[in-house]
Coordinates of all heavy atoms in Angstrom, one line a residue:
M1 N 0.8 -1.2 0.0 CA 0.0 0.0 0.0 C 0.9 1.2 0.0 O 1.8 1.4 0.8 CB -0.9 0.0 1.2 CG -1.8 1.2 1.4 SD -2.8 0.9 2.9 CE -4.1 1.9 2.5
K2 N 0.7 2.1 -0.9 CA 1.5 3.3 -1.1 C 1.0 4.4 -0.1 O -0.2 4.7 0.0 CB 1.4 3.8 -2.5 CG 2.5 4.8 -2.8 CD 2.7 5.0 -4.3 CE 3.8 6.0 -4.4 NZ 4.4 6.0 -5.7
A3 N 2.0 5.1 0.5 CA 1.7 6.2 1.4 C 1.1 7.3 0.7 O 1.4 7.6 -0.5 CB 2.9 6.6 2.2
S4 N 0.2 8.1 1.3 CA -0.4 9.2 0.6 C 0.3 10.5 0.9 O -0.1 11.6 0.5 CB -1.9 9.3 1.1 OG -1.9 9.5 2.5
F5 N 1.4 10.4 1.6 CA 2.2 11.6 1.9 C 3.7 11.3 1.7 O 4.1 10.1 1.5 CB 2.0 12.1 3.3 CG 2.4 11.1 4.3 CD1 3.6 11.0 4.9 CD2 1.4 10.1 4.7 CE1 4.0 10.1 5.9 CE2 1.8 9.1 5.7 CZ 3.0 9.1 6.2
S6 N 4.5 12.3 1.7 CA 5.9 12.1 1.5 C 6.7 12.8 2.6 O 6.3 13.9 3.1 CB 6.4 12.8 0.1 OG 7.8 12.8 0.0
H7 N 7.8 12.2 3.0 CA 8.6 12.8 4.1 C 9.7 13.7 3.5 O 10.4 14.3 4.3 CB 9.3 11.6 4.9 CG 8.3 10.8 5.7 ND1 7.8 9.7 5.2 CD2 7.7 11.1 6.9 CE1 6.9 9.2 6.1 NE2 6.9 10.0 7.1
Q8 N 9.8 13.8 2.2 CA 10.9 14.5 1.7 C 10.7 16.0 1.8 O 9.5 16.5 1.7 CB 11.2 14.2 0.2 CG 10.1 14.6 -0.8 CD 10.3 14.0 -2.1 OE1 11.0 13.0 -2.3 NE2 9.8 14.7 -3.1
P9 N 11.7 16.8 2.2 CA 11.6 18.2 2.3 C 11.3 18.9 1.0 O 11.5 18.4 -0.1 CB 12.9 18.7 2.8 CG 13.7 17.5 3.1 CD 13.0 16.3 2.5
E10 N 10.7 20.1 1.1 CA 10.4 20.9 -0.1 C 11.7 21.1 -0.9 O 12.7 21.4 -0.4 CB 9.8 22.2 0.3 CG 9.4 23.1 -0.8 CD 8.1 22.6 -1.5 OE1 7.3 22.0 -0.7 OE2 7.9 22.8 -2.7
G11 N 11.6 20.8 -2.2 CA 12.8 21.0 -3.1 C 13.8 19.9 -3.1 O 14.9 20.0 -3.7
Y12 N 13.5 18.8 -2.4 CA 14.5 17.7 -2.2 C 14.7 17.1 -3.6 O 13.8 16.9 -4.4 CB 13.9 16.7 -1.3 CG 14.8 15.5 -1.1 CD1 16.0 15.5 -0.4 CD2 14.4 14.3 -1.7 CE1 16.8 14.4 -0.3 CE2 15.2 13.1 -1.6 CZ 16.4 13.2 -0.9 OH 17.2 12.1 -0.8
E13 N 16.0 16.8 -3.9 CA 16.4 16.1 -5.1 C 17.1 14.8 -4.7 O 18.1 14.8 -4.0 CB 17.3 17.0 -5.9 CG 17.7 16.3 -7.2 CD 18.7 17.2 -8.0 OE1 18.8 18.4 -7.8 OE2 19.4 16.6 -8.8
C14 N 16.5 13.7 -5.0 CA 17.0 12.4 -4.6 C 18.4 12.2 -5.3 O 18.5 12.3 -6.5 CB 16.1 11.3 -5.0 SG 16.7 9.6 -4.7
P15 N 19.5 11.9 -4.5 CA 20.8 11.8 -5.1 C 20.9 10.6 -6.0 O 21.6 10.5 -7.0 CB 21.7 11.7 -3.9 CG 20.9 11.2 -2.8 CD 19.5 11.8 -3.1
F16 N 20.1 9.5 -5.7 CA 20.1 8.3 -6.6 C 19.4 8.5 -7.9 O 19.8 8.0 -8.9 CB 19.6 7.1 -5.8 CG 20.3 6.9 -4.5 CD1 19.7 6.9 -3.3 CD2 21.7 6.6 -4.6 CE1 20.3 6.6 -2.1 CE2 22.4 6.3 -3.4 CZ 21.7 6.3 -2.2
C17 N 18.4 9.3 -7.9 CA 17.6 9.6 -9.1 C 18.5 10.4 -10.1 O 18.2 10.3 -11.3 CB 16.3 10.3 -8.8 SG 15.1 9.3 -8.0
R18 N 19.5 11.0 -9.6 CA 20.4 11.8 -10.5 C 21.2 10.9 -11.5 O 21.7 11.3 -12.5 CB 21.4 12.6 -9.7 CG 20.9 13.9 -9.3 CD 22.1 14.8 -8.8 NE 21.8 15.2 -7.5 CZ 22.7 15.3 -6.5 NH1 23.9 15.0 -6.7 NH2 22.3 15.7 -5.3
I19 N 21.3 9.6 -11.2 CA 22.0 8.7 -12.0 C 21.4 8.6 -13.4 O 22.1 8.5 -14.4 CB 22.0 7.2 -11.4 CG1 22.8 7.2 -10.1 CG2 22.6 6.2 -12.4 CD1 22.7 6.0 -9.3
W20 N 20.1 8.8 -13.5 CA 19.4 8.8 -14.8 C 19.2 10.2 -15.3 O 18.7 10.3 -16.4 CB 18.1 8.1 -14.7 CG 18.3 6.7 -14.2 CD1 18.7 5.6 -14.9 CD2 18.3 6.2 -12.8 NE1 18.9 4.5 -14.1 CE2 18.6 4.9 -12.8 CE3 17.9 6.8 -11.6 CZ2 18.7 4.1 -11.7 CZ3 18.0 6.0 -10.5 CH2 18.3 4.7 -10.5
G21 N 19.7 11.2 -14.6 CA 19.5 12.6 -15.1 C 20.8 13.1 -15.6 O 21.6 12.4 -16.2
I22 N 21.0 14.4 -15.4 CA 22.2 15.1 -15.9 C 23.3 14.9 -14.9 O 23.2 15.2 -13.7 CB 21.9 16.6 -16.1 CG1 20.8 16.8 -17.2 CG2 23.2 17.3 -16.5 CD1 20.3 18.2 -17.3
E23 N 24.5 14.4 -15.4 CA 25.6 14.2 -14.5 C 26.2 15.6 -14.2 O 26.2 16.5 -15.0 CB 26.7 13.4 -15.2 CG 26.3 11.9 -15.4 CD 27.5 11.1 -15.9 OE1 28.6 11.6 -16.1 OE2 27.2 9.9 -16.2
R24 N 26.6 15.7 -13.0 CA 27.3 16.9 -12.5 C 28.8 16.6 -12.4 O 29.2 15.6 -11.8 CB 26.7 17.4 -11.2 CG 25.2 17.7 -11.3 CD 24.7 18.2 -10.1 NE 23.3 18.5 -10.3 CZ 22.4 18.7 -9.4 NH1 22.7 18.5 -8.1 NH2 21.1 18.9 -9.7
P25 N 29.7 17.5 -12.8 CA 31.1 17.3 -12.9 C 31.7 16.7 -11.6 O 32.5 15.8 -11.6 CB 31.7 18.6 -13.3 CG 30.6 19.4 -13.9 CD 29.3 18.9 -13.3
D26 N 31.4 17.4 -10.5 CA 32.1 17.0 -9.2 C 31.1 16.4 -8.2 O 31.4 16.4 -7.0 CB 32.9 18.1 -8.6 CG 34.0 18.6 -9.6 OD1 34.6 17.7 -10.1 OD2 34.2 19.8 -9.7
Q27 N 29.9 16.0 -8.6 CA 28.9 15.5 -7.7 C 28.3 14.2 -8.2 O 28.0 14.1 -9.4 CB 27.8 16.6 -7.5 CG 28.3 17.8 -6.7 CD 27.1 18.7 -6.5 OE1 26.1 18.6 -7.2 NE2 27.2 19.6 -5.6
G28 N 28.0 13.3 -7.3 CA 27.2 12.2 -7.6 C 27.8 11.1 -8.4 O 29.0 11.2 -8.8
T29 N 27.0 10.1 -8.6 CA 27.4 8.9 -9.4 C 27.4 9.2 -10.9 O 26.6 10.0 -11.4 CB 26.4 7.8 -9.1 OG1 26.5 7.5 -7.6 CG2 26.8 6.5 -9.8
K30 N 28.4 8.7 -11.6 CA 28.5 8.8 -13.0 C 28.1 7.5 -13.7 O 28.2 6.4 -13.1 CB 29.9 9.2 -13.4 CG 30.5 10.3 -12.6 CD 29.9 11.6 -13.0 CE 30.5 12.8 -12.3 NZ 29.8 13.3 -11.1
Q31 N 27.7 7.6 -14.9 CA 27.4 6.4 -15.7 C 28.5 5.4 -15.7 O 28.3 4.2 -15.6 CB 27.1 6.8 -17.1 CG 25.7 7.5 -17.3 CD 24.6 6.6 -17.0 OE1 24.5 5.5 -17.5 NE2 23.7 7.1 -16.1
M32 N 29.8 5.8 -15.7 CA 30.9 4.9 -15.6 C 31.1 4.2 -14.3 O 31.8 3.2 -14.3 CB 32.2 5.7 -16.0 CG 32.6 6.7 -14.9 SD 34.0 7.7 -15.4 CE 35.3 6.8 -14.6
D33 N 30.4 4.6 -13.3 CA 30.4 3.9 -12.0 C 29.5 2.7 -11.9 O 29.6 1.9 -11.0 CB 30.0 4.9 -10.8 CG 31.0 6.0 -10.7 OD1 32.2 5.8 -11.0 OD2 30.5 7.1 -10.3
I34 N 28.6 2.6 -12.9 CA 27.6 1.5 -12.9 C 28.3 0.2 -13.3 O 29.0 0.1 -14.3 CB 26.4 1.8 -13.9 CG1 25.7 3.0 -13.4 CG2 25.5 0.6 -14.0 CD1 24.6 3.5 -14.3
I35 N 28.1 -0.8 -12.4 CA 28.7 -2.2 -12.7 C 27.7 -3.2 -13.1 O 28.0 -4.3 -13.6 CB 29.5 -2.7 -11.5 CG1 28.6 -2.8 -10.2 CG2 30.7 -1.7 -11.1 CD1 29.2 -3.7 -9.1
Y36 N 26.4 -2.9 -12.8 CA 25.3 -3.9 -13.2 C 24.0 -3.1 -13.3 O 23.8 -2.2 -12.5 CB 25.2 -5.0 -12.1 CG 24.0 -5.9 -12.4 CD1 24.1 -7.0 -13.3 CD2 22.8 -5.7 -11.8 CE1 23.1 -7.8 -13.6 CE2 21.7 -6.6 -12.1 CZ 21.9 -7.6 -13.0 OH 20.8 -8.4 -13.3
Q37 N 23.2 -3.4 -14.3 CA 21.9 -2.8 -14.4 C 21.0 -3.7 -15.2 O 21.4 -4.3 -16.2 CB 22.1 -1.4 -15.2 CG 20.9 -0.6 -15.2 CD 21.2 0.8 -15.7 OE1 21.9 1.0 -16.7 NE2 20.7 1.8 -15.0
N38 N 19.8 -3.7 -14.8 CA 18.7 -4.4 -15.5 C 17.5 -3.5 -15.5 O 17.6 -2.3 -15.1 CB 18.4 -5.8 -15.0 CG 17.8 -5.9 -13.7 OD1 17.2 -4.9 -13.2 ND2 18.0 -7.0 -13.0
E39 N 16.3 -4.0 -15.9 CA 15.2 -3.1 -16.0 C 14.6 -2.6 -14.6 O 13.9 -1.6 -14.6 CB 14.0 -3.8 -16.8 CG 13.4 -5.0 -16.1 CD 14.2 -6.3 -16.2 OE1 15.2 -6.3 -17.0 OE2 13.9 -7.2 -15.4
K40 N 15.0 -3.3 -13.5 CA 14.5 -2.9 -12.2 C 15.6 -2.3 -11.3 O 15.2 -1.5 -10.4 CB 13.9 -4.1 -11.5 CG 12.7 -4.6 -12.3 CD 11.8 -5.4 -11.3 CE 10.6 -6.0 -12.1 NZ 9.5 -5.1 -12.4
V41 N 16.8 -2.7 -11.4 CA 17.8 -2.2 -10.4 C 19.1 -1.7 -11.1 O 19.4 -2.1 -12.3 CB 18.2 -3.3 -9.4 CG1 16.9 -3.7 -8.6 CG2 18.8 -4.5 -10.0
T42 N 19.9 -1.0 -10.4 CA 21.2 -0.5 -10.8 C 22.2 -0.7 -9.6 O 21.9 -0.3 -8.5 CB 21.2 1.0 -11.3 OG1 20.3 1.1 -12.4 CG2 22.6 1.4 -11.7
A43 N 23.4 -1.3 -9.9 CA 24.4 -1.4 -8.9 C 25.6 -0.5 -9.4 O 26.0 -0.6 -10.6 CB 24.9 -2.9 -8.8
F44 N 26.1 0.3 -8.5 CA 27.2 1.1 -8.8 C 28.2 1.3 -7.7 O 27.9 1.1 -6.5 CB 26.7 2.5 -9.2 CG 25.9 3.2 -8.2 CD1 26.5 4.1 -7.3 CD2 24.5 3.0 -8.1 CE1 25.7 4.7 -6.3 CE2 23.7 3.7 -7.2 CZ 24.3 4.5 -6.2
I45 N 29.4 1.6 -8.1 CA 30.5 1.8 -7.1 C 30.2 3.1 -6.4 O 30.0 4.2 -7.0 CB 31.9 1.9 -7.8 CG1 32.1 0.5 -8.5 CG2 33.0 2.2 -6.8 CD1 33.3 0.6 -9.4
A46 N 30.2 3.0 -5.0 CA 29.9 4.2 -4.2 C 31.0 5.3 -4.3 O 32.2 4.9 -4.4 CB 29.6 3.8 -2.8
G47 N 30.6 6.5 -4.3 CA 31.6 7.6 -4.4 C 32.4 7.8 -3.2 O 33.6 8.2 -3.3
K48 N 32.0 7.3 -2.0 CA 32.7 7.4 -0.8 C 33.3 6.1 -0.4 O 32.6 5.1 -0.3 CB 31.9 8.0 0.3 CG 32.6 8.2 1.6 CD 31.8 8.8 2.7 CE 32.6 9.1 3.9 NZ 31.9 9.7 5.0
W49 N 34.6 6.0 -0.4 CA 35.3 4.8 0.0 C 35.6 4.8 1.5 O 36.0 5.8 2.0 CB 36.5 4.6 -0.8 CG 36.2 4.2 -2.2 CD1 35.8 5.0 -3.2 CD2 36.2 2.9 -2.8 NE1 35.6 4.3 -4.4 CE2 35.8 3.0 -4.1 CE3 36.5 1.6 -2.3 CZ2 35.7 1.9 -5.0 CZ3 36.4 0.5 -3.1 CH2 36.0 0.7 -4.4
W50 N 35.6 3.6 2.1 CA 35.9 3.5 3.5 C 37.3 2.8 3.6 O 37.6 2.0 2.8 CB 34.9 2.6 4.2 CG 33.5 3.2 4.1 CD1 32.6 2.8 3.2 CD2 33.0 4.3 4.8 NE1 31.4 3.6 3.3 CE2 31.7 4.5 4.3 CE3 33.5 5.1 5.8 CZ2 30.8 5.5 4.8 CZ3 32.6 6.1 6.3 CH2 31.3 6.3 5.8
P51 N 38.1 3.2 4.6 CA 39.4 2.6 4.7 C 39.3 1.1 4.9 O 38.4 0.5 5.5 CB 40.0 3.2 6.1 CG 39.2 4.4 6.2 CD 37.8 4.2 5.6
N52 N 40.3 0.4 4.2 CA 40.3 -1.1 4.3 C 39.1 -1.8 3.6 O 38.9 -2.9 3.9 CB 40.5 -1.6 5.7 CG 41.8 -1.0 6.3 OD1 42.8 -1.0 5.7 ND2 41.7 -0.7 7.6
N53 N 38.4 -1.1 2.8 CA 37.2 -1.7 2.2 C 37.4 -1.5 0.7 O 37.1 -0.4 0.1 CB 35.9 -1.0 2.6 CG 34.7 -1.6 2.0 OD1 34.8 -2.5 1.2 ND2 33.5 -1.1 2.4
K54 N 37.8 -2.5 0.0 CA 38.1 -2.4 -1.4 C 36.9 -2.3 -2.3 O 37.0 -1.9 -3.5 CB 39.0 -3.5 -1.9 CG 40.4 -3.5 -1.3 CD 41.2 -4.6 -1.7 CE 42.6 -4.6 -1.1 NZ 43.4 -5.7 -1.5
G55 N 35.8 -2.8 -1.8 CA 34.6 -2.7 -2.6 C 33.4 -2.1 -1.8 O 33.1 -2.6 -0.8
H56 N 32.9 -1.1 -2.4 CA 31.7 -0.5 -1.7 C 30.7 -0.2 -2.9 O 30.9 0.8 -3.6 CB 32.1 0.8 -1.0 CG 31.0 1.5 -0.3 ND1 31.1 2.7 0.3 CD2 29.8 1.0 0.1 CE1 30.0 3.0 0.9 NE2 29.2 2.0 0.8
V57 N 29.7 -1.0 -3.0 CA 28.7 -0.9 -4.0 C 27.4 -0.7 -3.5 O 27.0 -1.3 -2.5 CB 28.7 -2.3 -4.9 CG1 27.6 -2.3 -5.9 CG2 30.1 -2.4 -5.5
L58 N 26.6 0.2 -4.1 CA 25.2 0.4 -3.7 C 24.3 -0.2 -4.8 O 24.6 -0.1 -6.0 CB 24.9 1.9 -3.6 CG 25.7 2.6 -2.4 CD1 25.4 4.1 -2.5 CD2 25.2 2.1 -1.1
I59 N 23.2 -0.7 -4.4 CA 22.2 -1.3 -5.3 C 20.9 -0.6 -5.0 O 20.4 -0.6 -3.9 CB 22.1 -2.8 -5.1 CG1 23.5 -3.5 -5.4 CG2 21.1 -3.4 -6.1 CD1 23.6 -4.9 -5.0
I60 N 20.3 0.0 -6.0 CA 19.1 0.8 -5.9 C 18.1 0.4 -6.9 O 18.4 -0.1 -8.0 CB 19.4 2.3 -5.9 CG1 20.0 2.7 -7.3 CG2 20.3 2.7 -4.8 CD1 20.0 4.2 -7.5
P61 N 16.8 0.5 -6.6 CA 15.8 0.3 -7.6 C 15.8 1.4 -8.7 O 16.2 2.6 -8.4 CB 14.5 0.3 -6.9 CG 14.8 1.1 -5.6 CD 16.2 0.9 -5.3
N62 N 15.5 1.1 -9.9 CA 15.5 2.1 -11.0 C 14.3 3.1 -10.9 O 14.3 4.1 -11.6 CB 15.5 1.5 -12.3 CG 16.8 0.7 -12.6 OD1 17.8 0.9 -12.0 ND2 16.8 -0.2 -13.6
Q63 N 13.3 2.7 -10.1 CA 12.2 3.6 -9.9 C 12.3 4.1 -8.4 O 12.8 3.4 -7.5 CB 10.9 2.8 -10.0 CG 9.7 3.6 -9.8 CD 8.4 2.8 -10.1 OE1 8.4 1.8 -10.8 NE2 7.3 3.2 -9.5
H64 N 11.9 5.4 -8.2 CA 12.0 6.0 -6.9 C 10.9 5.4 -6.0 O 9.7 5.5 -6.3 CB 11.9 7.5 -6.9 CG 12.1 8.1 -5.6 ND1 13.3 8.5 -5.1 CD2 11.2 8.5 -4.6 CE1 13.2 9.1 -3.9 NE2 11.9 9.0 -3.6
F65 N 11.3 4.9 -4.8 CA 10.4 4.5 -3.8 C 10.9 5.2 -2.5 O 12.0 5.2 -2.2 CB 10.4 3.0 -3.5 CG 9.9 2.2 -4.8 CD1 10.9 1.6 -5.6 CD2 8.6 2.1 -5.1 CE1 10.5 0.9 -6.7 CE2 8.2 1.4 -6.2 CZ 9.1 0.8 -7.0
E66 N 9.9 5.8 -1.8 CA 10.4 6.6 -0.6 C 11.0 5.7 0.5 O 11.9 6.1 1.2 CB 9.2 7.3 0.0 CG 9.6 8.2 1.1 CD 8.5 9.2 1.6 OE1 7.5 9.4 1.0 OE2 8.7 9.7 2.7
N67 N 10.5 4.5 0.7 CA 11.1 3.7 1.7 C 10.8 2.2 1.4 O 10.1 1.9 0.5 CB 10.5 4.1 3.1 CG 9.0 4.1 3.1 OD1 8.3 3.2 2.7 ND2 8.4 5.2 3.6
I68 N 11.2 1.3 2.3 CA 11.1 -0.1 2.1 C 9.6 -0.6 2.1 O 9.2 -1.5 1.5 CB 11.9 -0.9 3.1 CG1 12.0 -2.4 2.7 CG2 11.3 -0.8 4.5 CD1 13.1 -3.2 3.4
F69 N 8.7 0.2 2.8 CA 7.3 -0.1 2.9 C 6.6 0.0 1.5 O 5.6 -0.6 1.3 CB 6.6 0.7 3.9 CG 7.2 0.6 5.3 CD1 7.9 1.6 5.9 CD2 7.1 -0.6 6.0 CE1 8.4 1.5 7.1 CE2 7.7 -0.8 7.2 CZ 8.3 0.3 7.8
E70 N 7.2 0.8 0.6 CA 6.7 1.0 -0.7 C 7.3 0.1 -1.8 O 6.9 0.1 -2.9 CB 6.8 2.5 -1.1 CG 6.0 3.4 -0.3 CD 6.1 4.9 -0.8 OE1 6.7 5.1 -1.8 OE2 5.4 5.7 -0.1
L71 N 8.4 -0.5 -1.4 CA 9.2 -1.3 -2.4 C 8.5 -2.6 -2.7 O 8.3 -3.5 -1.8 CB 10.6 -1.6 -1.8 CG 11.5 -2.4 -2.7 CD1 12.0 -1.5 -3.8 CD2 12.7 -2.9 -1.9
P72 N 8.1 -2.8 -4.0 CA 7.4 -4.0 -4.4 C 8.3 -5.2 -4.3 O 9.6 -5.1 -4.5 CB 7.0 -3.8 -5.8 CG 7.0 -2.3 -6.0 CD 8.1 -1.8 -5.1
A73 N 7.8 -6.4 -4.0 CA 8.6 -7.6 -3.8 C 9.4 -7.9 -5.0 O 10.6 -8.4 -4.9 CB 7.7 -8.8 -3.5
D74 N 8.9 -7.7 -6.3 CA 9.7 -8.0 -7.5 C 11.0 -7.2 -7.6 O 12.0 -7.6 -8.1 CB 8.9 -8.0 -8.7 CG 8.2 -6.6 -9.0 OD1 7.9 -5.9 -8.0 OD2 8.0 -6.3 -10.2
Y75 N 10.9 -5.9 -7.0 CA 12.1 -5.1 -7.0 C 13.1 -5.6 -5.9 O 14.3 -5.7 -6.1 CB 11.8 -3.6 -6.7 CG 11.3 -2.9 -7.9 CD1 10.0 -3.0 -8.4 CD2 12.2 -2.1 -8.6 CE1 9.6 -2.3 -9.5 CE2 11.8 -1.4 -9.7 CZ 10.5 -1.5 -10.2 OH 10.0 -0.9 -11.3
A76 N 12.6 -6.1 -4.8 CA 13.4 -6.6 -3.7 C 14.2 -7.9 -4.2 O 15.3 -8.1 -3.9 CB 12.6 -6.9 -2.5
V77 N 13.5 -8.7 -5.0 CA 14.1 -9.9 -5.5 C 15.3 -9.5 -6.4 O 16.4 -10.1 -6.3 CB 13.1 -10.7 -6.3 CG1 13.8 -11.8 -7.2 CG2 12.1 -11.4 -5.4
E78 N 15.1 -8.5 -7.2 CA 16.2 -8.0 -8.1 C 17.3 -7.4 -7.4 O 18.5 -7.5 -7.8 CB 15.6 -7.1 -9.2 CG 14.7 -7.8 -10.2 CD 15.4 -8.9 -10.9 OE1 16.6 -8.8 -11.3 OE2 14.8 -10.0 -11.1
I79 N 17.0 -6.7 -6.3 CA 18.1 -6.1 -5.4 C 18.9 -7.3 -4.9 O 20.2 -7.2 -4.9 CB 17.5 -5.2 -4.3 CG1 17.0 -4.0 -4.9 CG2 18.6 -4.9 -3.2 CD1 16.1 -3.1 -4.0
H80 N 18.3 -8.3 -4.4 CA 19.0 -9.5 -3.9 C 19.8 -10.1 -4.9 O 21.0 -10.5 -4.7 CB 18.1 -10.5 -3.2 CG 18.8 -11.7 -2.7 ND1 19.5 -11.7 -1.6 CD2 18.9 -12.9 -3.3 CE1 20.0 -12.9 -1.4 NE2 19.7 -13.7 -2.4
R81 N 19.3 -10.3 -6.1 CA 20.0 -11.0 -7.2 C 21.2 -10.1 -7.6 O 22.3 -10.7 -7.8 CB 19.1 -11.1 -8.5 CG 19.7 -11.9 -9.6 CD 18.8 -11.9 -10.9 NE 17.4 -11.9 -10.7 CZ 16.6 -13.0 -10.5 NH1 17.2 -14.2 -10.4 NH2 15.3 -12.8 -10.3
A82 N 21.1 -8.8 -7.7 CA 22.3 -8.0 -8.0 C 23.3 -8.0 -6.9 O 24.5 -8.0 -7.1 CB 21.8 -6.5 -8.2
A83 N 22.9 -8.1 -5.6 CA 23.8 -8.2 -4.5 C 24.6 -9.5 -4.5 O 25.8 -9.5 -4.3 CB 23.0 -8.1 -3.2
Q84 N 23.9 -10.6 -4.9 CA 24.6 -11.9 -5.0 C 25.6 -11.9 -6.2 O 26.7 -12.3 -6.0 CB 23.6 -13.0 -5.2 CG 24.2 -14.4 -5.0 CD 23.2 -15.5 -5.1 OE1 22.2 -15.4 -5.9 NE2 23.3 -16.5 -4.2
L85 N 25.2 -11.3 -7.3 CA 26.1 -11.2 -8.4 C 27.3 -10.4 -8.1 O 28.5 -10.7 -8.4 CB 25.4 -10.7 -9.7 CG 24.4 -11.6 -10.3 CD1 23.6 -10.8 -11.4 CD2 25.1 -12.8 -11.0
T86 N 27.1 -9.3 -7.4 CA 28.2 -8.4 -7.0 C 29.1 -9.1 -6.0 O 30.3 -9.0 -6.1 CB 27.6 -7.1 -6.4 OG1 26.8 -6.4 -7.3 CG2 28.7 -6.1 -5.9
A87 N 28.5 -9.8 -5.1 CA 29.3 -10.6 -4.1 C 30.3 -11.6 -4.8 O 31.5 -11.7 -4.4 CB 28.4 -11.3 -3.1
F88 N 29.7 -12.3 -5.7 CA 30.6 -13.3 -6.5 C 31.7 -12.5 -7.2 O 32.8 -13.0 -7.3 CB 29.7 -14.1 -7.4 CG 29.0 -15.2 -6.7 CD1 27.6 -15.3 -6.8 CD2 29.7 -16.2 -6.1 CE1 27.0 -16.4 -6.2 CE2 29.0 -17.3 -5.4 CZ 27.7 -17.3 -5.5
A89 N 31.4 -11.4 -7.8 CA 32.4 -10.6 -8.6 C 33.5 -10.1 -7.6 O 34.7 -10.1 -8.0 CB 31.7 -9.5 -9.3
M90 N 33.1 -9.6 -6.5 CA 34.1 -9.1 -5.5 C 34.9 -10.3 -5.0 O 36.2 -10.1 -4.8 CB 33.4 -8.4 -4.3 CG 32.8 -7.1 -4.7 SD 32.1 -6.3 -3.2 CE 31.7 -4.7 -3.8
K91 N 34.3 -11.4 -4.7 CA 35.1 -12.5 -4.2 C 36.1 -13.0 -5.3 O 37.3 -13.2 -5.0 CB 34.2 -13.7 -3.9 CG 34.9 -14.9 -3.3 CD 34.0 -16.0 -2.8 CE 34.8 -17.1 -2.2 NZ 33.9 -18.0 -1.5
S92 N 35.7 -13.0 -6.5 CA 36.6 -13.3 -7.6 C 37.7 -12.3 -7.8 O 38.9 -12.6 -8.0 CB 35.8 -13.5 -8.9 OG 36.7 -13.7 -10.0
T93 N 37.4 -11.0 -7.7 CA 38.3 -9.9 -8.0 C 39.3 -9.7 -6.8 O 40.5 -9.6 -7.0 CB 37.6 -8.6 -8.2 OG1 36.7 -8.8 -9.4 CG2 38.5 -7.5 -8.5
Y94 N 38.8 -9.7 -5.6 CA 39.6 -9.3 -4.4 C 40.0 -10.5 -3.6 O 40.8 -10.4 -2.7 CB 38.8 -8.3 -3.6 CG 38.5 -7.0 -4.3 CD1 37.2 -6.6 -4.5 CD2 39.5 -6.2 -4.7 CE1 36.9 -5.4 -5.1 CE2 39.3 -5.0 -5.3 CZ 38.0 -4.6 -5.5 OH 37.7 -3.5 -6.2
G95 N 39.5 -11.7 -3.9 CA 39.8 -12.9 -3.1 C 39.4 -12.8 -1.6 O 40.0 -13.4 -0.8
C96 N 38.3 -12.1 -1.4 CA 37.9 -11.9 0.0 C 37.2 -13.1 0.5 O 36.6 -13.9 -0.3 CB 36.9 -10.7 0.1 SG 35.6 -10.6 -1.2
D97 N 37.2 -13.3 1.8 CA 36.6 -14.5 2.4 C 35.1 -14.3 2.6 O 34.4 -15.3 2.8 CB 37.2 -14.8 3.8 CG 38.7 -15.2 3.6 OD1 39.0 -15.9 2.6 OD2 39.5 -14.9 4.5
G98 N 34.7 -13.1 2.7 CA 33.3 -12.8 3.0 C 32.8 -11.4 2.4 O 33.7 -10.6 2.0
I99 N 31.5 -11.2 2.5 CA 30.9 -10.0 2.0 C 30.0 -9.5 3.1 O 29.2 -10.3 3.6 CB 30.2 -10.2 0.7 CG1 31.1 -10.7 -0.5 CG2 29.4 -9.0 0.2 CD1 32.1 -9.8 -1.0
S100 N 29.9 -8.2 3.3 CA 29.0 -7.7 4.2 C 27.9 -6.9 3.5 O 28.3 -6.1 2.6 CB 29.7 -6.8 5.2 OG 28.8 -6.1 6.1
T101 N 26.6 -7.2 3.7 CA 25.6 -6.4 3.1 C 24.8 -5.7 4.1 O 24.6 -6.1 5.2 CB 24.7 -7.3 2.2 OG1 24.1 -8.3 3.1 CG2 25.4 -8.0 1.1
R102 N 24.3 -4.5 3.7 CA 23.4 -3.7 4.6 C 22.3 -3.1 3.8 O 22.4 -2.8 2.7 CB 24.3 -2.6 5.3 CG 25.2 -3.2 6.3 CD 26.2 -2.1 6.8 NE 27.1 -2.5 7.7 CZ 28.2 -3.2 7.4 NH1 28.5 -3.5 6.2 NH2 29.0 -3.6 8.4

């Protein structure tokens, strides 16, 4: 059930929705950061790296949903599928013993 109101402040611009909009030279994710994409989700290398973390990937739905309560199950399935593919790629690339997802 979709909420009838939004929590976003007036004039808010979703930083993830910018991936499909106009790229800004020194801000946000660029098309070249995308590592996986299908009709429902996009996985991309995060702009902020953490020390001792060689892989930091975000996976988002291609359609804007305000929160998890609005996220349809078919999108959640694709997020999981992309996370698993990304985990296998990281294990192959970096030789890591495990992957942490949040």
